[in-house]
């Protein structure tokens, strides 16, 4: 008598991942509103560095990186950890926006997908989207680390670490 057991396994293919330990943020840019970012040793989820993002607007702005070679119709998930001990920070989260170009240029294809939001606190919060299906015409995505200030002119600060975008 032979018995065979088959376990369903899923293998996530990471398309982009960083923990900022190389202290290099080339390829990252402001997602508008004058947000700024620097690699910081003030806080880190793992190892020594994280990305410190600042924004003084009540609108959702932050820092972004383009993920090329998206396959339209496939499912993706974005994940990062965030932390803020700044009382001017109203909230922080991650956002994915889709583009038909391979370099993130042009108009956004659809309403972006956001993760759970967090507010100021001393602990790291896991920020994660559900499985998101890319629009059929998507060829790239912008992965954004986003925060909002509680009042225009007050500088909000959030730290992000262990960023991952996977299929």
């Amino acid at each position: 008598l032979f018995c065979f057991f088959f376990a369903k396994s899923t293998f996530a293919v990471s398309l982009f991942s960083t923990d900022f330990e190389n202290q290099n943020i080339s390829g990252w840019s402001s997602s508008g509103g004058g947000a700024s970012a620097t690699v910081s040793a003030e806080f880190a989820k793992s190892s020594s560095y994280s990305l410190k993002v600042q924004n003084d607007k009540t609108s959702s702005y932050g820092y972004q990186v383009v993920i090329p070679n998206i396959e339209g119709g496939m499912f993706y998930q974005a994940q990062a950890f965030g932390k803020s001990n700044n009382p001017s920070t109203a909230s922080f989260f991650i956002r994915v926006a889709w583009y038909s170009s391979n370099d993130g240029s042009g108009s956004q294809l659809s309403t972006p997908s956001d993760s759970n939001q967090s507010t100021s606190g001393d602990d790291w919060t896991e920020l994660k989207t559900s499985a998101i299906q890319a629009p059929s015409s998507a060829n790239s995505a912008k992965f954004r680390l986003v925060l909002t200030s509680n009042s225009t002119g007050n500088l909000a600060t959030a730290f992000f670490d262990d960023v991952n975008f996977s299929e």
Side-chain angles (χ1 to χ4, degrees):
L1 179 68
F2 293 96
C3 292
F4 294 96
F5 295 96
F6 295 96
K8 182 180 177 188
S9 63
T10 56
F11 295 95
V13 176
S14 181
L15 300 179
F16 179 81
S17 182
T18 186
D19 59 7
F20 302 104
E21 293 305 303
N22 65 5
Q23 301 179 47
N24 180 357
I25 58 172
S26 64
W28 288 85
S29 64
S30 175
S31 65
S36 63
T38 56
V39 175
S40 173
E42 289 175 65
F43 298 104
K45 170 69 177 145
S46 59
S47 299
S48 302
Y49 298 97
S50 64
L51 190 67
K52 178 181 183 178
V53 181
Q54 296 183 298
N55 171 26
D56 67 355
K57 308 281 189 299
T58 56
S59 297
S60 301
Y61 294 116
Y63 245 62
Q64 65 189 5
V65 65
V66 174
I67 313 292
N69 304 316
I70 294 298
E71 188 176 334
M74 290 294 293
F75 286 86
Y76 296 91
Q77 185 170 48
Q79 178 182 8
F81 286 86
K83 173 185 176 102
S84 178
N85 63 349
N86 181 321
S88 293
T89 303
S91 66
F92 55 92
F93 55 97
I94 57 177
R95 173 174 283 167
V96 177
W98 307 101
Y99 294 82
S100 59
S101 65
N102 200 46
D103 63 0
S105 63
S107 297
Q108 194 171 281
L109 286 175
S110 60
T111 303
S113 300
D114 293 348
S115 71
N116 52 304
Q117 293 191 13
S118 187
T119 58
S120 298
D122 289 331
D123 294 329
W124 286 94
T125 301
E126 183 179 25
L127 306 169
K128 191 175 193 178
T129 65
S130 58
I132 312 163
Q133 187 172 21
S136 60
S137 60
N139 288 299
S140 66
K142 287 184 180 177
F143 185 122
R144 297 177 175 147
L145 308 173
V146 181
L147 73 157
T148 60
S149 174
N150 60 17
S151 178
T152 299
N154 287 341
L155 191 60
T157 302
F159 297 84
F160 296 91
D161 205 356
D162 297 342
V163 173
N164 188 57
F165 186 83
S166 56
E167 184 177 285

